[in-house]
Amino acid sequence: MSTRLAEVLMQYNAVTREQLDEAMEASVCGRPDRGIQEGDFLGKVLVQLGHLKPKDIIRAIRAAQYKPSYVTLAGWTIDPVLASALPPELAQKHSVLPLLHLQRHLPMVLSKTPLSADARAELRDALKVDVDELPASDEPVDQLIAKLYGTLVQRAQRPEGLGEAFVKENLIPRERLEAAEQAARREGVTLAEYLVREQNVDGAKAFRVLAHSLKVPFLAPHELAMLNPDMGMIRKATPEYIRSTRSMPIIMDGTTLTVLTLDPGQDVSALNLIAPRIRTLKKVVTSYNAFAALFKEAFDIRLTEWAKGESAPPPQPFVNPKFRDAVIAAKYMTEAEYDRLRGANNGDDLALLDHLHREELVTKDCLGKLWGDSLGVAYLNLDRTLIQESTVRMLPEDFAREHKIVLVYEFGGTITAAMRKPDQVLAQRAEALVGRKVEAVVSLPAEIQAAIDLFYQSDSEIKELADKLAILDVSGDRSVSLEKLKTAAGSEAVINFAEGLLLLAVKEGASDIHVEPGEEGVRIRFRIDGHLQERFSLNKNVLPPLLSRLKILAAADIIERRLPQDGRISLTLGDHMIDFRFSTTPTVHGEKAVLRVLGQTQRQPIPDLKELMFSKSNMEKLLGLLARPNGIFFVTGPTGSGKSLTLYSCLKYLNNPDTNIMTIEDPVEYRLQGINQIQINTDIGLDCQRALRSFLRQDPDIILVGEIRDKETAKLAAEAALTGHLVLATLHTNSATQAFTRLIEIGVDPYVVSPAIIGAMAQRLVRRICPNCKQEHVLTSEEADALFTHTGGKRVSFYQGKGCERCRHTGFKGRLAIHEILEVNDEIRTLISRGGSMVEVHKAGVEAGFTSMHQDGMKKVLRGLTTLAEVNEMAIR
């Protein structure tokens, strides 16, 4: 900021060139005799040297036509948004007063004493960014802090269960409550305000219920008129501030300021600063119509683009005739079909695009390419793009949701932004917000919505929701009523927290969520890359409402806490459905819940075989086995070792127009075009055996069996292999050589196993070294001799991750597989048929060139992909 500040100060003749040069030199070198440290903010240095007063700096910045929303006191600029972001306890502890936060610059604070390194670190953790510091001069900072934050009492909270109050008052049907609450949150308005607009309810009644729930006085329009609001007092707050907080000062009576509000849960303590004698803020609520009329009278502009009883003006239909021509030319539908669907979507090609995507009438890649080509802009598939979270969050969430735009990544100083349609004005507004050049691409609406839902979730937001959750009056007593649990589970805070927790787990790539009660609190852990990481430590009051909400979603009994329960939760994310397997079990401290993320893999494209990091020798073996016309090939390993992904990559490799591929799965984890996939449904009698028998009458070339668990399924798979089909299947064994003995243990005769099986592969997942903090470690001669037959002629390097923000300081990011593949030759077939031991089979395999997964892992350690510790932990030697 210092360079820009210097330009502004010179432009407005605030300092001379000599004074500026002296200050810039002192800022670089430091002047301990004047209290100036190296690298100090230029404004602070100018004040310390006596060349400027702090308020002169503020005036110079304002003269440069930056216009944040703020209120003022005695020349100081106080940004209420910044003030609300800094906890009052922290401001009081370090005697700092938040001033303002200009776009693309660090926030400025007024400091009573120079900030120590520890103080700066605390402020940075609170604000998520460093601060520029101004010295206090002779201003009473502590008094200003106390005035800004009022009495430092706990801030008002939105009433929990407010939606229930609206239901009881017949303002909204219960079945529409949750959707209305979510829509209100998205638009940043109160539920009452949303109902006035969308439900066409009596505005006075809605806001009267709101006021009653928070125990705040309600003023009918005629009662408000009798108070005779002071227009001059209203204009002391900016229109932007009133719009953002839905609150305005209306009357000053002695030391009490009356604040008219539509959202009594909002923090409006910054209004303390509009007059020096304010001691108390008194909130009153009125109807939306009366509030908007008063705002219009004061500023001669509308509060919003809609008034009481009217909906927001519908957007103009977006017509794209080139898209229509492209869809028809590609023979996806006829002219009549397209025009009929367009009419059903209000003549809007953008809405029709979303409809085609949701109904899967055209494949996503084809649809995206047609849409992008018709607009002359590249299409970006967000599911296949590495999205930079830090870049996404450069754009305010409200702006992203309102305009359906997501920043994807930054390269060479230019940010790529995904939009539903090209919009130069929107790109320019985004550029102004982030201070970077923005280049537009198009993505499908559902993809953009999913990216926004995912990447605006953060630990701090979840923790904030948990803090709100902790104040709910739902005890751990087993006698708590069903009605009370339902009320708590349906509150806005609980809904937001539960949904946010699930979305955060999906964003972080977690495979499991653990909700674990303890003696003092609740611990929430995510299993990421196979290892549990503690994410939140929460108040114990959070547990009952959270579990009640999850049980409702999973269709479990919310009152039962003594017995284990299971269920399934589905979460819609864009065009995907993410499924969670929900399980609870009672512990001495309360119910523990675990959610397994089942649908995570559907969000990612199926990789090609070459992307699975097979070694050259293992890839040759695998391709040779897949080229066989018949036989069983097993992929083995424990749960969560990536077996299904490997098999789907094999199917992707084998899939072509002249091949009939059929799969039996429970559940269907991926959907592959051109492949016949069957979901097991035991409720109607469709089990694995029945499906496999029917397959043999469907003329298949390749069959995939999701998992072989029993004798009958194993025998049917073997029979299919012996009758000319290539069968791919998974099996739970620890090594490739155990696959043969496992089949015999299940009950399949050795003489059937021997001719049917052609090979087996075992795999494990090891954590991949984070590429952002990867470090080289050259082994000493002693270390190399302990691991290798080492001649000393070439140095050996291992690698490890130092730990960074991107990998959450673990040193690892993502996982990769290590493999071992055993091909069945005549000698091994003979051993199997006469019931040879696993040791004999392994020995025969080694003689034929078999290499263990530990050896494969060591190759990947030497390539810098993983660490020796990971391979030693996961691989079988």
Side-chain angles (χ1 to χ4, degrees), residues 164 307 379 805:
E164 290 295 325
Y379 163 68
E805 291 291 334

Side-chain angles (χ1 to χ4, degrees), residues 753-820:
V753 175
S754 173
I757 196 163
I758 58 174
M761 178 175 74
Q763 68 178 56
R764 297 289 188 280
L765 294 179
V766 294
R767 289 185 290 177
R768 187 192 292 260
I769 297 171
C770 174
N772 191 54
C773 59
K774 185 176 178 180
Q775 290 182 326
E776 181 180 10
H777 167 61
V778 180
L779 270 65
T780 65
S781 297
E782 292 78 11
E783 290 172 327
D785 289 339
L787 295 167
F788 308 102
T789 302
H790 189 240
T791 62
K794 185 178 181 181
R795 74 175 192 173
V796 180
S797 294
F798 283 178
Y799 296 84
Q800 61 186 18
K802 181 181 179 182
C804 62
E805 291 291 334
R806 194 171 297 178
C807 64
R808 302 189 67 84
H809 301 286
T810 62
F812 298 97
K813 187 70 175 175
R815 290 192 287 179
L816 73 154
I818 53 177
H819 313 88
E820 62 181 29

Side-chain angles (χ1 to χ4, degrees), residues 194-455:
Y194 177 80
L195 291 176
V196 170
R197 188 184 75 187
E198 297 296 329
Q199 306 296 326
N200 199 26
V201 301
D202 181 350
K205 184 173 183 180
F207 284 98
R208 184 177 285 107
V209 173
L210 172 67
H212 178 74
S213 299
L214 272 175
K215 297 180 173 57
V216 176
F218 175 82
L219 297 179
H222 70 278
E223 295 170 324
L224 178 63
M226 291 172 61
L227 284 181
N228 193 22
D230 183 348
M231 291 296 156
M233 182 60 67
I234 295 173
R235 295 187 187 106
K236 285 182 182 259
T238 62
E240 293 79 14
Y241 179 79
I242 295 173
R243 279 173 164 163
S244 65
T245 62
R246 288 297 195 262
S247 304
M248 69 172 78
I250 57 170
I251 296 172
M252 183 72 184
D253 182 11
T255 60
T256 299
L257 177 66
T258 299
V259 179
L260 187 67
T261 180
L262 296 177
D263 188 357
Q266 280 278 2
D267 173 33
V268 293
S269 54
L271 291 176
N272 273 313
L273 297 167
I274 66 175
R277 64 181 188 278
I278 294 175
R279 296 290 180 270
T280 306
L281 291 177
K282 177 184 176 184
K283 293 181 181 179
V284 295
V285 176
T286 190
S287 68
Y288 174 85
N289 202 35
F291 188 95
L294 202 55
F295 181 86
K296 179 73 165 60
E297 183 179 354
F299 299 104
D300 197 28
I301 54 177
R302 294 183 70 172
L303 179 66
T304 59
E305 293 304 314
W306 54 272
K308 179 194 172 188
E310 69 182 40
S311 297
Q316 292 297 314
F318 181 73
V319 180
N320 182 3
K322 290 184 178 179
F323 179 65
R324 177 183 184 274
D325 295 343
V327 170
I328 294 170
K331 301 188 184 314
Y332 289 120
M333 56 184 64
T334 65
E335 292 185 25
E337 289 172 336
Y338 188 97
D339 292 339
R340 177 179 57 79
L341 278 176
R342 177 193 265 175
N345 287 276
N346 301 317
D348 190 340
D349 283 319
L350 191 57
L352 176 58
L353 172 76
D354 197 27
H355 175 82
L356 294 175
H357 181 201
R358 282 186 285 104
E359 298 299 323
E360 298 181 355
L361 298 177
V362 183
T363 62
K364 183 164 73 172
D365 285 340
C366 292
L367 189 63
K369 189 175 186 310
L370 288 175
W371 183 254
D373 290 347
S374 70
L375 296 170
V377 179
Y379 163 68
L380 186 66
N381 186 335
L382 296 183
D383 287 341
R384 299 186 181 182
T385 302
L386 184 61
I387 300 176
Q388 298 172 347
E389 182 178 354
S390 57
T391 302
V392 174
R393 297 178 72 89
M394 290 172 69
L395 203 61
E397 181 179 359
D398 291 345
F399 184 88
R401 288 191 181 280
E402 179 183 355
H403 299 289
K404 303 297 186 292
I405 175 175
V406 61
L407 305 185
V408 184
Y409 51 75
E410 181 177 3
F411 183 75
T414 299
I415 291 177
T416 297
M419 307 176 186
R420 299 176 301 167
K421 62 182 189 296
D423 190 328
Q424 188 60 34
V425 174
L426 182 57
Q428 290 173 352
R429 291 182 65 185
E431 286 179 352
L433 287 170
V434 302
R436 304 279 199 286
K437 178 177 173 55
V438 171
E439 184 176 286
V441 295
V442 295
S443 296
L444 301 179
E447 294 177 331
I448 294 174
Q449 188 61 53
I452 291 172
D453 288 342
L454 271 185
F455 286 92

Side-chain angles (χ1 to χ4, degrees), residues 2-3 5-6 9 20 23-24 27 40-47:
S2 296
T3 304
L5 178 62
L9 293 171
L20 190 59
M24 294 184 77
S27 176
D40 269 349
F41 173 56
L42 180 61
K44 172 184 174 181
V45 175
L46 285 165
V47 173

Side-chain angles (χ1 to χ4, degrees), residues 414-635:
T414 299
I415 291 177
T416 297
M419 307 176 186
R420 299 176 301 167
K421 62 182 189 296
D423 190 328
Q424 188 60 34
V425 174
L426 182 57
Q428 290 173 352
R429 291 182 65 185
E431 286 179 352
L433 287 170
V434 302
R436 304 279 199 286
K437 178 177 173 55
V438 171
E439 184 176 286
V441 295
V442 295
S443 296
L444 301 179
E447 294 177 331
I448 294 174
Q449 188 61 53
I452 291 172
D453 288 342
L454 271 185
F455 286 92
Y456 281 99
Q457 296 296 329
S458 69
D459 287 8
S460 60
E461 289 166 348
I462 298 298
K463 186 64 170 66
E464 182 180 341
L465 287 169
D467 291 341
K468 290 183 179 180
L469 212 65
I471 67 173
L472 289 177
D473 184 21
V474 181
S475 69
D477 186 354
R478 289 178 180 173
S479 64
V480 66
S481 70
L482 175 63
E483 190 62 33
K484 192 172 185 180
L485 283 174
K486 285 184 176 179
T487 300
S491 71
E492 180 181 357
V494 179
I495 291 171
N496 287 345
F497 180 76
E499 182 178 324
L501 186 65
L502 299 180
L503 285 173
L504 183 64
V506 173
K507 186 190 86 170
E508 299 275 340
S511 61
D512 300 87
I513 307 168
H514 290 244
V515 182
E516 303 171 330
E519 187 173 354
E520 299 297 330
V522 177
R523 178 174 65 168
I524 294 183
R525 297 192 289 174
F526 289 171
R527 188 177 293 279
I528 299 175
D529 296 337
H531 289 249
L532 280 172
Q533 300 177 12
E534 184 168 341
R535 303 308 297 275
F536 306 103
S537 181
L538 307 175
N539 189 295
K540 202 165 183 178
N541 289 349
V542 168
L543 188 64
L546 173 59
L547 286 185
S548 296
R549 179 63 187 170
L550 293 175
K551 286 178 181 179
I552 288 173
L553 294 174
D557 183 355
I558 68 172
I559 205 70
E560 178 58 70
R561 286 181 278 175
R562 300 166 299 171
L563 297 173
Q565 295 193 74
D566 295 298
R568 198 180 188 95
I569 297 173
S570 294
L571 178 69
T572 301
L573 186 63
D575 58 342
H576 299 288
M577 185 71 76
I578 308 294
D579 289 329
F580 300 82
R581 188 177 65 209
F582 174 74
S583 173
T584 65
T585 190
T587 72
V588 293
H589 296 299
E591 281 186 287
K592 175 186 174 180
V594 176
L595 294 102
R596 165 62 61 89
V597 187
L598 299 175
Q600 180 78 292
T601 51
Q602 294 179 358
R603 299 187 55 252
Q604 301 299 327
I606 298 169
D608 295 329
L609 281 176
K610 63 182 179 182
E611 298 177 55
L612 296 184
M613 309 300 292
F614 283 96
S615 65
K616 182 179 179 181
S617 60
N618 280 339
M619 178 62 88
E620 290 174 352
K621 292 177 184 177
L622 178 61
L623 295 181
L625 290 168
L626 295 178
R628 300 281 189 93
N630 60 279
I632 302 179
F633 173 60
F634 285 106
V635 178

